[in-house]
Amino acid sequence: QAATYDRDVLYTINIANGSDKTVPTIPIHVRFGPGSGANQWGVQVSGLPGVTGDIVGPVETNLSQNGVMVRAGLFDDPFFFDLLGFRTTLSSGTLSFDKNRDFFAGQNLTGIVIEIPKDRIQNGSNPVGIWATTGRFTVPML
């Protein structure tokens, strides 16, 4: 099943490498929008350290510029769980898990992955704080 992307949502990944971990020093913005072909979507990532301009391209594609890699789109769910074994264990009281039975096999999730060289984020011995936010535009973007 194809993923759904909302062009009216701004995703922000905040990186704080200063002394105050509540103030982002590197805000990275991610937006989705219609691509060049029918039923295609694209991604735009701005504010990447060491990158001039934005990284823009189709979803589910590795996009690289100046040592930074971005990929957004569908990913196989990495969580493994034997739901049938769990339910059988609950009802029978006997452990019934099967390491080859994965309830989440074939399930997908949507993700944004960004790979940035460590030296572009480091700030001496300061720890790095990272958090993300989303915001919806009240007026649809074109």
Side-chain angles (χ1 to χ4, degrees), residues 9-141:
V9 175
L10 175 66
Y11 300 85
T12 303
I13 300 168
N14 298 290
I15 302 173
N17 66 0
S19 58
D20 186 347
K21 296 299 170 244
T22 64
V23 177
T25 51
I26 305 171
I28 299 170
H29 301 289
V30 181
R31 294 281 313 271
F32 293 96
S36 58
N39 299 321
Q40 290 185 353
W41 280 85
V43 63
Q44 174 187 37
V45 184
S46 60
L48 293 161
V51 173
T52 303
D54 302 338
I55 292 182
V56 179
V59 296
E60 299 182 25
T61 304
N62 289 346
L63 306 170
S64 298
Q65 185 178 334
N66 298 339
V68 173
M69 190 277 297
V70 172
R71 184 178 181 97
L74 285 176
F75 293 87
D76 186 32
D77 191 324
F79 187 72
F80 180 93
F81 186 67
D82 177 10
L83 181 62
L84 178 61
F86 176 75
R87 288 181 174 163
T88 303
T89 299
L90 282 179
S91 65
S92 69
T94 303
L95 285 177
S96 300
F97 291 100
D98 181 343
K99 67 178 181 175
N100 297 312
R101 189 171 44 209
D102 182 9
F103 175 77
F104 292 103
Q107 302 297 313
N108 293 326
L109 55 88
T110 307
I112 301 167
V113 177
I114 300 175
E115 183 178 298
I116 303 169
K118 182 177 164 182
D119 63 349
R120 297 189 193 167
I121 296 174
Q122 288 180 188
N123 184 9
S125 61
N126 286 332
V128 174
I130 300 176
W131 69 99
T133 61
T134 59
R136 175 172 293 284
F137 293 98
T138 56
V139 177
M141 299 300 291

